[in-house]
Amino acid sequence: MKSVRPVLLAAAPALLGLVPAVREVLLYDRTAILQGEWWRLWTGHWMHFTASHLTWNLLVLAGAGWWLERVQPGSLLRYLAVAAPMLGVSFLAGAPGMGTYGGLSGLATGVVVLLALAQLGRDRAARAWWLGLLALVALKLALDAAQPAPLFASFGAQVVRVSTFAHVMGAITAVGFFLSRRLGWRDELRRPAAAHAQ
Amino acid sequence: MESKTVSHTPRFIAFALLVLVLVFLLTGCVSGFDRRRHEASSVVQFLYPGKDQPYIQPQIPTLRLPLRVGVAFVPAGAAPERASAAPSRISEAQKAGLLRGIAQQFKELPFVQSIEIVPATYLRPGGGFANLDQLRALMGIDVVALVAYDQAQNTGDTAWSLAYWTIVGAYVVPGQKNDTSTLLETVVYDLSSRSLLFRAPGTNTTDGHSTPIRTSEQLRADSAASLAAAAKDMTANLAQELELFKVRVKEEPQNYRVEHKPGYTGGGALDGSFAALLALFAAAALLRSRR
Protein backbone atom coordinates (compact mmCIF):
# COMPACT_ATOMS: atom_id res chain seq x y z
CA MET A 1 0.00 0.00 0.00
CA LYS A 2 2.94 2.28 0.74
CA SER A 3 4.07 2.05 -2.86
CA VAL A 4 0.57 2.79 -4.18
CA ARG A 5 -0.01 6.08 -2.34
CA PRO A 6 2.75 8.06 -4.10
CA VAL A 7 1.57 6.67 -7.45
CA LEU A 8 -1.96 7.86 -6.76
CA LEU A 9 -0.62 11.26 -5.72
CA ALA A 10 1.40 11.46 -8.91
CA ALA A 11 -1.31 10.26 -11.26
CA ALA A 12 -4.56 11.72 -9.91
CA PRO A 13 -3.95 15.37 -10.92
CA ALA A 14 -3.75 14.25 -14.54
CA LEU A 15 -7.50 13.59 -14.51
CA LEU A 16 -8.10 17.29 -13.85
CA GLY A 17 -6.17 18.09 -17.01
CA LEU A 18 -8.98 16.75 -19.18
CA VAL A 19 -11.23 19.63 -18.08
CA PRO A 20 -10.69 22.38 -20.69
CA ALA A 21 -11.06 25.25 -18.19
CA VAL A 22 -8.41 23.73 -15.93
CA ARG A 23 -6.14 23.03 -18.88
CA GLU A 24 -6.39 26.68 -19.90
CA VAL A 25 -4.85 27.78 -16.60
CA LEU A 26 -2.33 24.97 -16.04
CA LEU A 27 -1.01 24.05 -19.53
CA TYR A 28 2.62 24.81 -20.36
CA ASP A 29 2.26 28.10 -22.23
CA ARG A 30 5.51 29.74 -23.21
CA THR A 31 4.11 33.29 -23.34
CA ALA A 32 2.26 32.97 -20.04
CA ILE A 33 5.33 31.52 -18.28
CA LEU A 34 7.51 34.36 -19.53
CA GLN A 35 4.88 36.75 -18.15
CA GLY A 36 5.22 35.22 -14.68
CA GLU A 37 2.86 32.22 -14.58
CA TRP A 38 5.74 29.98 -13.50
CA TRP A 39 3.50 27.25 -11.98
CA ARG A 40 2.85 26.09 -15.53
CA LEU A 41 6.42 24.69 -15.59
CA TRP A 42 5.18 22.02 -13.14
CA THR A 43 1.54 21.65 -14.00
CA GLY A 44 1.81 21.53 -17.81
CA HIS A 45 2.94 17.91 -17.74
CA TRP A 46 -0.29 16.77 -16.12
CA MET A 47 -2.46 18.34 -18.81
CA HIS A 48 -3.66 16.12 -21.67
CA PHE A 49 -5.65 16.77 -24.83
CA THR A 50 -7.69 13.58 -25.06
CA ALA A 51 -8.49 10.56 -22.92
CA SER A 52 -6.31 8.26 -25.07
CA HIS A 53 -3.42 10.73 -24.81
CA LEU A 54 -3.78 10.54 -21.02
CA THR A 55 -4.29 6.76 -20.83
CA TRP A 56 -1.00 5.55 -22.29
CA ASN A 57 1.06 8.14 -20.43
CA LEU A 58 -0.66 7.34 -17.17
CA LEU A 59 -0.30 3.56 -17.62
CA VAL A 60 3.46 3.86 -18.12
CA LEU A 61 3.90 6.37 -15.29
CA ALA A 62 1.77 4.39 -12.83
CA GLY A 63 3.35 1.02 -13.68
CA ALA A 64 6.96 2.19 -13.60
CA GLY A 65 6.26 4.50 -10.65
CA TRP A 66 4.75 1.70 -8.55
CA TRP A 67 7.79 -0.49 -9.22
CA LEU A 68 10.20 2.36 -8.49
CA GLU A 69 8.47 3.01 -5.16
CA ARG A 70 8.96 -0.61 -4.19
CA VAL A 71 12.66 -0.45 -5.07
CA GLN A 72 13.43 3.08 -3.80
CA PRO A 73 10.63 4.40 -1.60
CA GLY A 74 10.10 8.15 -1.90
CA SER A 75 11.91 8.46 -5.22
CA LEU A 76 8.87 8.91 -7.45
CA LEU A 77 7.47 12.12 -5.97
CA ARG A 78 10.93 13.58 -5.42
CA TYR A 79 11.89 12.91 -9.03
CA LEU A 80 8.63 14.37 -10.37
CA ALA A 81 8.94 17.49 -8.22
CA VAL A 82 12.47 18.17 -9.46
CA ALA A 83 12.22 16.97 -13.07
CA ALA A 84 8.92 18.67 -13.97
CA PRO A 85 10.26 22.27 -13.82
CA MET A 86 13.58 21.15 -15.30
CA LEU A 87 11.75 19.82 -18.33
CA GLY A 88 9.72 23.04 -18.52
CA VAL A 89 12.87 25.17 -18.45
CA SER A 90 14.46 22.95 -21.08
CA PHE A 91 11.43 23.59 -23.33
CA LEU A 92 11.86 27.34 -22.86
CA ALA A 93 15.50 27.09 -23.86
CA GLY A 94 15.52 24.24 -26.34
CA ALA A 95 12.14 24.39 -28.07
CA PRO A 96 11.39 28.08 -28.63
CA GLY A 97 8.91 27.28 -31.40
CA MET A 98 6.71 25.23 -29.08
CA GLY A 99 4.03 27.61 -27.84
CA THR A 100 2.14 25.19 -25.65
CA TYR A 101 2.77 21.70 -24.32
CA GLY A 102 0.86 19.06 -22.45
CA GLY A 103 1.57 15.45 -21.53
CA LEU A 104 3.21 13.23 -18.93
CA SER A 105 5.33 11.23 -21.37
CA GLY A 106 8.55 13.13 -20.69
CA LEU A 107 8.27 12.41 -16.98
CA ALA A 108 7.04 8.86 -17.59
CA THR A 109 10.09 8.15 -19.75
CA GLY A 110 12.23 9.55 -16.95
CA VAL A 111 10.57 7.25 -14.38
CA VAL A 112 11.21 4.20 -16.60
CA VAL A 113 14.88 5.17 -16.96
CA LEU A 114 15.16 5.84 -13.21
CA LEU A 115 13.66 2.42 -12.44
CA ALA A 116 16.14 0.67 -14.74
CA LEU A 117 19.08 2.55 -13.22
CA ALA A 118 17.90 1.79 -9.68
CA GLN A 119 17.51 -1.91 -10.49
CA LEU A 120 20.94 -2.05 -12.12
CA GLY A 121 22.59 -1.12 -8.85
CA ARG A 122 20.34 -3.35 -6.74
CA ASP A 123 19.90 -6.61 -8.60
CA ARG A 124 23.20 -7.68 -10.16
CA ALA A 125 21.80 -11.02 -11.35
CA ALA A 126 19.24 -9.28 -13.53
CA ARG A 127 21.62 -6.68 -14.90
CA ALA A 128 21.15 -7.75 -18.50
CA TRP A 129 17.38 -7.28 -18.19
CA TRP A 130 17.65 -3.71 -17.01
CA LEU A 131 20.37 -2.88 -19.50
CA GLY A 132 17.96 -4.24 -22.07
CA LEU A 133 15.23 -1.89 -20.85
CA LEU A 134 17.60 1.06 -21.07
CA ALA A 135 18.55 -0.01 -24.59
CA LEU A 136 14.84 -0.24 -25.49
CA VAL A 137 14.22 3.32 -24.29
CA ALA A 138 17.33 4.56 -26.09
CA LEU A 139 16.21 2.82 -29.28
CA LYS A 140 12.77 4.41 -29.07
CA LEU A 141 14.27 7.86 -28.54
CA ALA A 142 16.68 7.37 -31.43
CA LEU A 143 13.91 6.18 -33.76
CA ASP A 144 11.67 9.11 -32.80
CA ALA A 145 14.51 11.58 -33.28
CA ALA A 146 15.48 10.07 -36.63
CA GLN A 147 11.90 10.34 -37.91
CA PRO A 148 12.31 12.76 -40.84
CA ALA A 149 8.74 14.00 -40.80
CA PRO A 150 7.05 14.89 -37.52
CA LEU A 151 4.40 12.54 -36.29
CA PHE A 152 0.85 13.56 -37.01
CA ALA A 153 -1.11 12.97 -33.88
CA SER A 154 -4.88 12.99 -33.54
CA PHE A 155 -5.57 14.71 -30.26
CA GLY A 156 -9.21 15.65 -30.80
CA ALA A 157 -9.53 19.08 -32.37
CA GLN A 158 -6.03 20.04 -31.22
CA VAL A 159 -3.21 20.17 -33.76
CA VAL A 160 -0.36 18.61 -31.81
CA ARG A 161 3.20 17.66 -32.67
CA VAL A 162 4.51 14.77 -30.61
CA SER A 163 7.54 16.11 -28.75
CA THR A 164 10.52 13.76 -28.89
CA PHE A 165 12.50 16.47 -27.13
CA ALA A 166 10.40 15.97 -23.99
CA HIS A 167 11.22 12.23 -23.95
CA VAL A 168 14.95 12.86 -24.39
CA MET A 169 14.93 15.48 -21.62
CA GLY A 170 12.93 13.12 -19.37
CA ALA A 171 15.65 10.47 -19.78
CA ILE A 172 18.42 13.02 -19.16
CA THR A 173 16.78 14.36 -15.99
CA ALA A 174 16.38 10.78 -14.72
CA VAL A 175 20.08 10.06 -15.23
CA GLY A 176 20.92 13.37 -13.50
CA PHE A 177 18.57 12.58 -10.60
CA PHE A 178 19.99 9.08 -10.21
CA LEU A 179 23.61 10.30 -10.24
CA SER A 180 22.89 13.11 -7.78
CA ARG A 181 21.23 10.64 -5.38
CA ARG A 182 24.11 8.18 -5.65
CA LEU A 183 26.60 10.91 -4.95
CA GLY A 184 24.40 12.06 -2.08
CA TRP A 185 24.29 8.54 -0.59
CA ARG A 186 28.01 8.22 -0.87
CA ASP A 187 28.37 11.53 0.98
CA GLU A 188 25.91 10.30 3.61
CA LEU A 189 27.86 7.05 3.95
CA ARG A 190 31.13 8.90 4.21
CA ARG A 191 29.91 11.42 6.80
CA PRO A 192 29.07 8.92 9.61
CA ALA A 193 32.22 6.96 8.78
CA ALA A 194 34.33 10.13 9.04
CA ALA A 195 32.55 11.16 12.27
CA HIS A 196 33.16 7.71 13.70
CA ALA A 197 36.85 7.91 12.77
CA GLN A 198 37.16 11.23 14.60
CA MET B 1 -82.61 11.43 -111.96
CA GLU B 2 -79.53 13.38 -112.22
CA SER B 3 -76.81 11.97 -110.19
CA LYS B 4 -74.54 14.44 -108.40
CA THR B 5 -70.89 13.62 -108.41
CA VAL B 6 -69.03 15.18 -105.49
CA SER B 7 -65.31 15.63 -105.84
CA HIS B 8 -63.33 14.46 -102.72
CA THR B 9 -60.09 16.00 -103.87
CA PRO B 10 -60.20 19.28 -101.83
CA ARG B 11 -61.09 17.36 -98.62
CA PHE B 12 -58.31 14.93 -99.24
CA ILE B 13 -55.83 17.76 -99.78
CA ALA B 14 -57.07 19.51 -96.62
CA PHE B 15 -56.69 16.30 -94.61
CA ALA B 16 -53.21 15.67 -96.03
CA LEU B 17 -52.18 19.23 -95.12
CA LEU B 18 -53.54 18.81 -91.60
CA VAL B 19 -51.55 15.62 -91.11
CA LEU B 20 -48.44 17.31 -92.47
CA VAL B 21 -48.86 20.26 -90.09
CA LEU B 22 -49.34 17.85 -87.18
CA VAL B 23 -46.25 15.91 -88.17
CA PHE B 24 -44.21 19.08 -88.30
CA LEU B 25 -45.64 20.25 -84.99
CA LEU B 26 -44.95 16.91 -83.37
CA THR B 27 -41.47 16.74 -84.80
CA GLY B 28 -40.94 20.26 -83.51
CA CYS B 29 -42.11 19.18 -80.06
CA VAL B 30 -39.92 16.15 -80.05
CA SER B 31 -36.76 17.87 -81.16
CA GLY B 32 -37.39 21.08 -79.26
CA PHE B 33 -34.87 20.27 -76.45
CA ASP B 34 -31.09 19.89 -76.35
CA ARG B 35 -29.97 16.58 -77.72
CA ARG B 36 -26.41 17.11 -76.48
CA ARG B 37 -25.13 19.17 -73.64
CA HIS B 38 -21.62 19.54 -72.29
CA GLU B 39 -20.56 21.58 -69.29
CA ALA B 40 -17.07 21.61 -67.82
CA SER B 41 -14.46 23.45 -65.84
CA SER B 42 -10.83 22.46 -66.11
CA VAL B 43 -7.97 22.82 -63.66
CA VAL B 44 -5.48 22.86 -66.54
CA GLN B 45 -7.37 25.65 -68.32
CA PHE B 46 -7.56 27.60 -65.10
CA LEU B 47 -3.87 27.22 -64.20
CA TYR B 48 -2.42 27.39 -67.71
CA PRO B 49 -4.90 29.43 -69.76
CA GLY B 50 -2.62 30.54 -72.64
CA LYS B 51 -0.50 28.41 -74.91
CA ASP B 52 2.36 30.88 -74.53
CA GLN B 53 2.23 30.49 -70.77
CA PRO B 54 5.71 29.64 -69.50
CA TYR B 55 5.99 26.26 -67.87
CA ILE B 56 6.12 26.63 -64.12
CA GLN B 57 8.76 24.40 -62.57
CA PRO B 58 7.30 22.97 -59.36
CA GLN B 59 9.62 22.82 -56.36
CA ILE B 60 9.74 20.39 -53.47
CA PRO B 61 6.78 21.42 -51.30
CA THR B 62 7.52 22.65 -47.81
CA LEU B 63 4.46 21.99 -45.69
CA ARG B 64 4.40 24.36 -42.75
CA LEU B 65 2.16 22.69 -40.19
CA PRO B 66 -0.52 23.19 -39.17
CA LEU B 67 -1.87 23.90 -42.64
CA ARG B 68 -4.53 26.39 -43.64
CA VAL B 69 -6.48 25.00 -46.57
CA GLY B 70 -8.74 26.72 -49.10
CA VAL B 71 -11.39 24.83 -51.08
CA ALA B 72 -12.68 26.31 -54.33
CA PHE B 73 -14.62 25.46 -57.48
CA VAL B 74 -12.65 26.14 -60.64
CA PRO B 75 -14.57 28.67 -62.75
CA ALA B 76 -15.83 27.24 -66.04
CA GLY B 77 -14.08 28.20 -69.29
CA ALA B 78 -12.60 31.55 -70.27
CA ALA B 79 -14.72 34.67 -69.87
CA PRO B 80 -15.97 35.22 -73.48
CA GLU B 81 -16.95 31.55 -73.92
CA ARG B 82 -18.84 31.52 -70.66
CA ALA B 83 -20.89 34.55 -71.63
CA SER B 84 -22.31 32.80 -74.66
CA ALA B 85 -22.74 29.44 -72.97
CA ALA B 86 -26.08 28.04 -71.87
CA PRO B 87 -26.91 28.52 -68.21
CA SER B 88 -25.27 25.93 -66.01
CA ARG B 89 -27.38 22.99 -64.79
CA ILE B 90 -25.14 22.73 -61.70
CA SER B 91 -26.44 25.26 -59.23
CA GLU B 92 -24.36 27.31 -56.82
CA ALA B 93 -26.14 25.56 -53.94
CA GLN B 94 -24.97 22.18 -55.27
CA LYS B 95 -21.42 23.48 -55.59
CA ALA B 96 -21.51 24.91 -52.06
CA GLY B 97 -22.75 21.59 -50.68
CA LEU B 98 -19.95 19.75 -52.46
CA LEU B 99 -17.31 22.15 -51.13
CA ARG B 100 -18.66 21.76 -47.58
CA GLY B 101 -18.31 17.97 -47.88
CA ILE B 102 -14.70 18.27 -49.05
CA ALA B 103 -13.93 20.81 -46.30
CA GLN B 104 -15.29 18.37 -43.72
CA GLN B 105 -12.83 15.71 -44.85
CA PHE B 106 -9.88 18.07 -44.53
CA LYS B 107 -11.10 19.21 -41.10
CA GLU B 108 -10.60 15.69 -39.77
CA LEU B 109 -6.87 15.80 -40.49
CA PRO B 110 -4.78 16.50 -37.41
CA PHE B 111 -2.32 18.71 -39.27
CA VAL B 112 -4.95 21.04 -40.74
CA GLN B 113 -5.54 24.17 -38.72
CA SER B 114 -8.39 25.73 -40.70
CA ILE B 115 -10.45 25.32 -43.85
CA GLU B 116 -11.70 28.25 -45.87
CA ILE B 117 -14.37 27.84 -48.55
CA VAL B 118 -13.33 30.27 -51.26
CA PRO B 119 -16.27 32.26 -52.68
CA ALA B 120 -16.90 31.70 -56.40
CA THR B 121 -16.26 35.36 -57.18
CA TYR B 122 -12.68 35.20 -55.89
CA LEU B 123 -11.47 33.09 -58.81
CA ARG B 124 -11.32 34.41 -62.38
CA PRO B 125 -11.61 32.09 -65.40
CA GLY B 126 -8.04 31.38 -66.50
CA GLY B 127 -6.74 33.20 -63.42
CA GLY B 128 -3.81 30.81 -63.01
CA PHE B 129 -1.30 30.79 -60.19
CA ALA B 130 -1.40 34.60 -60.08
CA ASN B 131 -5.04 34.36 -58.97
CA LEU B 132 -4.12 31.69 -56.41
CA ASP B 133 -1.33 33.91 -55.05
CA GLN B 134 -3.93 36.64 -54.53
CA LEU B 135 -6.06 34.16 -52.58
CA ARG B 136 -3.05 33.20 -50.51
CA ALA B 137 -2.42 36.82 -49.60
CA LEU B 138 -6.10 37.56 -49.02
CA MET B 139 -7.09 34.49 -47.02
CA GLY B 140 -3.74 33.33 -45.64
CA ILE B 141 -4.06 29.82 -47.04
CA ASP B 142 -1.10 27.49 -47.62
CA VAL B 143 -2.78 24.79 -49.69
CA VAL B 144 -5.73 24.93 -52.08
CA ALA B 145 -8.07 22.15 -53.12
CA LEU B 146 -9.45 22.98 -56.58
CA VAL B 147 -12.62 21.19 -57.60
CA ALA B 148 -13.34 20.80 -61.32
CA TYR B 149 -16.18 19.01 -63.10
CA ASP B 150 -17.08 17.76 -66.54
CA GLN B 151 -20.62 16.72 -67.33
CA ALA B 152 -21.98 15.52 -70.67
CA GLN B 153 -25.61 14.66 -71.41
CA ASN B 154 -26.97 12.95 -74.50
CA THR B 155 -30.53 12.12 -75.41
CA GLY B 156 -31.70 10.03 -78.36
CA ASP B 157 -34.79 8.32 -79.74
CA THR B 158 -35.49 4.66 -79.18
CA ALA B 159 -37.81 2.41 -81.21
CA TRP B 160 -40.60 3.40 -78.85
CA SER B 161 -40.45 6.94 -80.26
CA LEU B 162 -42.71 5.76 -83.13
CA ALA B 163 -45.50 6.08 -80.62
CA TYR B 164 -45.05 9.86 -80.76
CA TRP B 165 -47.02 9.81 -84.04
CA THR B 166 -50.10 9.18 -82.02
CA ILE B 167 -49.53 12.51 -80.16
CA VAL B 168 -50.73 10.90 -76.94
CA GLY B 169 -47.64 8.70 -77.13
CA ALA B 170 -45.41 11.75 -76.76
CA TYR B 171 -46.94 12.27 -73.32
CA VAL B 172 -47.00 8.71 -72.05
CA VAL B 173 -44.33 6.63 -73.82
CA PRO B 174 -40.79 7.08 -72.45
CA GLY B 175 -39.12 6.71 -75.84
CA GLN B 176 -36.16 8.99 -75.15
CA LYS B 177 -32.92 7.49 -73.86
CA ASN B 178 -30.91 9.88 -71.70
CA ASP B 179 -27.26 9.38 -70.71
CA THR B 180 -25.46 11.58 -68.21
CA SER B 181 -21.73 11.21 -67.54
CA THR B 182 -20.07 13.20 -64.78
CA LEU B 183 -16.43 13.50 -63.80
CA LEU B 184 -15.49 15.39 -60.67
CA GLU B 185 -11.93 15.96 -59.59
CA THR B 186 -10.27 17.52 -56.58
CA VAL B 187 -6.70 18.64 -57.19
CA VAL B 188 -4.69 19.77 -54.18
CA TYR B 189 -1.85 22.25 -54.73
CA ASP B 190 0.75 23.64 -52.37
CA LEU B 191 0.72 27.35 -53.16
CA SER B 192 4.26 28.34 -52.24
CA SER B 193 5.94 25.60 -54.28
CA ARG B 194 3.16 25.41 -56.90
CA SER B 195 3.36 21.67 -56.80
CA LEU B 196 0.59 19.13 -57.02
CA LEU B 197 0.21 17.26 -53.73
CA PHE B 198 -2.45 14.78 -54.80
CA ARG B 199 -5.67 14.41 -56.76
CA ALA B 200 -8.87 12.50 -56.24
CA PRO B 201 -11.39 11.82 -59.03
CA GLY B 202 -15.02 10.77 -58.84
CA THR B 203 -17.09 9.49 -61.77
CA ASN B 204 -20.65 8.51 -62.46
CA THR B 205 -22.77 7.50 -65.45
CA THR B 206 -26.53 7.65 -65.19
CA ASP B 207 -28.88 6.19 -67.82
CA GLY B 208 -32.62 6.72 -67.98
CA HIS B 209 -35.68 7.07 -70.16
CA SER B 210 -38.26 9.81 -70.42
CA THR B 211 -41.15 10.99 -72.53
CA PRO B 212 -40.20 13.77 -74.97
CA ILE B 213 -42.40 16.20 -73.09
CA ARG B 214 -40.54 15.61 -69.82
CA THR B 215 -37.02 15.19 -71.24
CA SER B 216 -35.66 18.58 -70.16
CA GLU B 217 -36.97 18.11 -66.64
CA GLN B 218 -35.54 14.57 -66.51
CA LEU B 219 -32.16 15.71 -67.78
CA ARG B 220 -31.99 18.33 -65.03
CA ALA B 221 -32.82 15.68 -62.42
CA ASP B 222 -30.25 13.27 -63.93
CA SER B 223 -27.64 16.04 -63.88
CA ALA B 224 -28.16 16.62 -60.15
CA ALA B 225 -28.28 12.90 -59.33
CA SER B 226 -25.16 12.13 -61.37
CA LEU B 227 -23.29 15.01 -59.74
CA ALA B 228 -24.26 13.76 -56.28
CA ALA B 229 -23.15 10.21 -57.11
CA ALA B 230 -19.84 11.42 -58.58
CA ALA B 231 -19.32 13.55 -55.46
CA LYS B 232 -19.85 10.49 -53.28
CA ASP B 233 -17.32 8.55 -55.33
CA MET B 234 -14.86 11.44 -55.13
CA THR B 235 -15.33 11.74 -51.37
CA ALA B 236 -14.36 8.08 -50.92
CA ASN B 237 -11.34 8.52 -53.20
CA LEU B 238 -10.36 11.72 -51.42
CA ALA B 239 -10.35 9.98 -48.04
CA GLN B 240 -8.11 7.28 -49.51
CA GLU B 241 -5.79 9.82 -51.13
CA LEU B 242 -5.50 11.79 -47.88
CA GLU B 243 -4.43 8.65 -46.06
CA LEU B 244 -1.90 7.84 -48.77
CA PHE B 245 -0.64 11.42 -48.65
CA LYS B 246 -0.03 11.17 -44.89
CA VAL B 247 2.01 8.01 -45.49
CA ARG B 248 3.93 9.58 -48.39
CA VAL B 249 4.87 12.63 -46.31
CA LYS B 250 6.31 10.34 -43.66
CA GLU B 251 8.02 7.90 -46.00
CA GLU B 252 9.30 10.19 -48.74
CA PRO B 253 11.20 13.01 -47.03
CA GLN B 254 13.03 13.67 -50.30
CA ASN B 255 9.72 14.74 -51.87
CA TYR B 256 8.09 16.64 -48.99
CA ARG B 257 9.67 18.96 -46.45
CA VAL B 258 7.76 19.46 -43.25
CA GLU B 259 8.21 22.36 -40.86
CA HIS B 260 6.23 23.54 -37.89
CA LYS B 261 5.00 27.09 -37.61
CA PRO B 262 6.19 28.88 -34.46
CA GLY B 263 3.77 28.61 -31.59
CA TYR B 264 2.74 25.03 -32.29
CA THR B 265 1.41 22.78 -29.54
CA GLY B 266 3.67 19.99 -28.39
CA GLY B 267 2.32 16.80 -26.93
CA GLY B 268 4.16 14.42 -24.66
CA ALA B 269 2.69 11.15 -25.82
CA LEU B 270 3.75 7.54 -25.46
CA ASP B 271 2.12 5.22 -27.92
CA GLY B 272 0.30 2.03 -27.07
CA SER B 273 2.93 -0.20 -28.69
CA PHE B 274 5.69 1.20 -26.48
CA ALA B 275 3.50 0.83 -23.38
CA ALA B 276 2.72 -2.76 -24.38
CA LEU B 277 6.43 -3.51 -24.89
CA LEU B 278 7.19 -2.13 -21.43
CA ALA B 279 4.38 -4.21 -19.94
CA LEU B 280 5.78 -7.37 -21.58
CA PHE B 281 9.22 -6.53 -20.29
CA ALA B 282 7.88 -5.97 -16.78
CA ALA B 283 5.95 -9.26 -16.84
CA ALA B 284 9.03 -11.16 -17.99
CA ALA B 285 11.19 -9.51 -15.33
CA LEU B 286 8.67 -10.38 -12.60
CA LEU B 287 8.43 -13.99 -13.72
CA ARG B 288 12.21 -14.26 -13.76
CA SER B 289 12.55 -12.81 -10.26
CA ARG B 290 9.98 -15.31 -8.85
CA ARG B 291 11.99 -18.24 -10.17
Side-chain angles (χ1 to χ4, degrees):
Chain A
M1 190 63 195
K2 269 186 178 177
S3 53
V4 174
R5 211 173 295 146
V7 175
L8 287 176
L9 274 172
L15 297 173
L16 281 175
L18 286 175
V19 181
V22 176
R23 197 163 62 217
E24 196 70 26
V25 185
L26 301 183
L27 192 71
Y28 168 94
D29 184 325
R30 185 182 173 83
T31 314
I33 291 167
L34 294 176
Q35 285 172 352
E37 296 180 10
W38 47 266
W39 66 84
R40 290 173 185 264
L41 292 172
W42 272 270
T43 57
H45 302 281
W46 276 265
M47 302 298 111
H48 290 81
F49 301 109
T50 60
S52 69
H53 181 205
L54 169 71
T55 305
W56 295 120
N57 287 349
L58 215 50
L59 276 177
V60 174
L61 181 82
W66 170 77
W67 203 332
L68 179 67
E69 276 301 303
R70 291 187 65 179
V71 177
Q72 276 185 5
S75 288
L76 178 66
L77 292 180
R78 271 188 212 138
Y79 167 71
L80 293 179
V82 174
M86 283 173 78
L87 278 182
V89 171
S90 76
F91 295 161
L92 286 177
M98 190 162 73
T100 48
Y101 171 86
L104 267 172
S105 69
L107 292 175
T109 306
V111 173
V112 171
V113 171
L114 196 56
L115 169 67
L117 290 172
Q119 288 283 45
L120 268 178
R122 188 171 165 266
D123 185 1
R124 288 186 183 274
R127 227 173 179 175
W129 279 93
W130 299 106
L131 280 173
L133 179 61
L134 284 176
L136 183 72
V137 173
L139 183 71
K140 182 193 163 34
L141 295 181
L143 284 176
D144 285 353
Q147 191 107 8
L151 300 170
F152 299 126
S154 306
F155 290 159
Q158 194 83 30
V159 180
V160 174
R161 179 188 179 185
V162 175
S163 175
T164 310
F165 184 68
H167 301 163
V168 174
M169 288 313 297
I172 290 173
T173 52
V175 173
F177 183 81
F178 177 76
L179 289 177
S180 69
R181 288 204 75 179
R182 280 202 74 148
L183 291 173
W185 288 334
R186 277 186 189 166
D187 287 347
E188 279 170 23
L189 285 172
R190 272 177 201 156
R191 249 179 257 144
H196 188 71
Q198 281 170 5
Chain B
M1 287 265 308
E2 231 181 58
S3 65
K4 271 189 179 177
T5 54
V6 181
S7 170
H8 291 282
T9 311
R11 275 191 191 172
F12 177 76
I13 291 170
F15 180 73
L17 278 172
L18 184 67
V19 168
L20 212 61
V21 167
L22 280 174
V23 166
F24 274 117
L25 279 175
L26 194 61
T27 315
C29 271
V30 171
S31 56
F33 48 81
D34 297 337
R35 299 185 75 85
R36 257 183 212 169
R37 211 190 112 263
H38 181 236
E39 198 179 324
S41 67
S42 159
V43 172
V44 177
Q45 267 186 8
F46 172 72
L47 293 177
Y48 306 98
K51 282 181 183 170
D52 54 343
Q53 199 82 16
Y55 173 67
I56 297 165
Q57 179 70 45
Q59 299 155 353
I60 295 174
T62 302
L63 303 171
R64 303 194 74 216
L65 308 185
L67 294 174
R68 283 168 300 185
V69 182
V71 187
F73 241 96
V74 174
E81 286 172 30
R82 195 76 200 99
S84 61
S88 172
R89 279 223 168 110
I90 300 168
S91 69
E92 288 303 317
Q94 279 176 301
K95 288 180 183 175
L98 194 58
L99 291 184
R100 276 198 297 275
I102 294 168
Q104 191 56 43
Q105 284 198 304
F106 275 94
K107 261 182 202 163
E108 286 164 12
L109 295 175
F111 52 91
V112 170
Q113 182 181 28
S114 63
I115 304 277
E116 300 283 347
I117 292 180
V118 180
T121 49
Y122 283 27
L123 289 181
R124 296 187 305 276
F129 282 108
N131 197 175
L132 292 181
D133 284 340
Q134 288 171 331
L135 276 189
R136 189 182 169 198
L138 191 70
M139 305 177 84
I141 55 178
D142 308 302
V143 164
V144 70
L146 296 171
V147 185
Y149 67 95
D150 190 317
Q151 190 173 68
Q153 287 190 300
N154 290 304
T155 184
D157 300 338
T158 62
W160 290 100
S161 62
L162 277 174
Y164 302 162
W165 287 85
T166 63
I167 301 174
V168 176
Y171 286 86
V172 294
V173 178
Q176 296 300 117
K177 187 177 184 304
N178 307 316
D179 303 324
T180 305
S181 300
T182 308
L183 166 72
L184 270 174
E185 187 182 37
T186 298
V187 183
V188 182
Y189 270 90
D190 172 50
L191 292 181
S192 58
S193 63
R194 301 190 167 187
S195 52
L196 175 73
L197 298 180
F198 61 90
R199 59 180 285 276
T203 55
N204 174 262
T205 303
T206 302
D207 297 331
H209 290 85
S210 65
T211 62
I213 301 301
R214 293 179 61 90
T215 297
S216 289
E217 194 183 331
Q218 190 59 48
L219 283 174
R220 267 195 296 276
D222 285 353
S223 166
S226 182
L227 187 78
K232 198 175 170 189
D233 186 35
M234 187 182 72
T235 303
N237 287 335
L238 186 59
Q240 202 177 355
E241 285 299 322
L242 283 167
E243 284 304 315
L244 287 174
F245 176 66
K246 282 200 283 187
V247 174
R248 277 207 305 272
V249 168
K250 277 187 184 176
E251 292 180 355
E252 297 173 18
Q254 70 279 13
N255 293 333
Y256 302 95
R257 285 197 202 107
V258 178
E259 291 176 358
H260 278 264
K261 288 175 187 163
Y264 67 87
T265 296
L270 293 171
D271 48 6
S273 53
F274 183 65
L277 213 57
L278 286 179
L280 273 176
F281 187 91
L286 276 174
L287 275 176
R288 194 193 161 280
S289 67
R290 280 187 187 172
R291 276 182 202 163

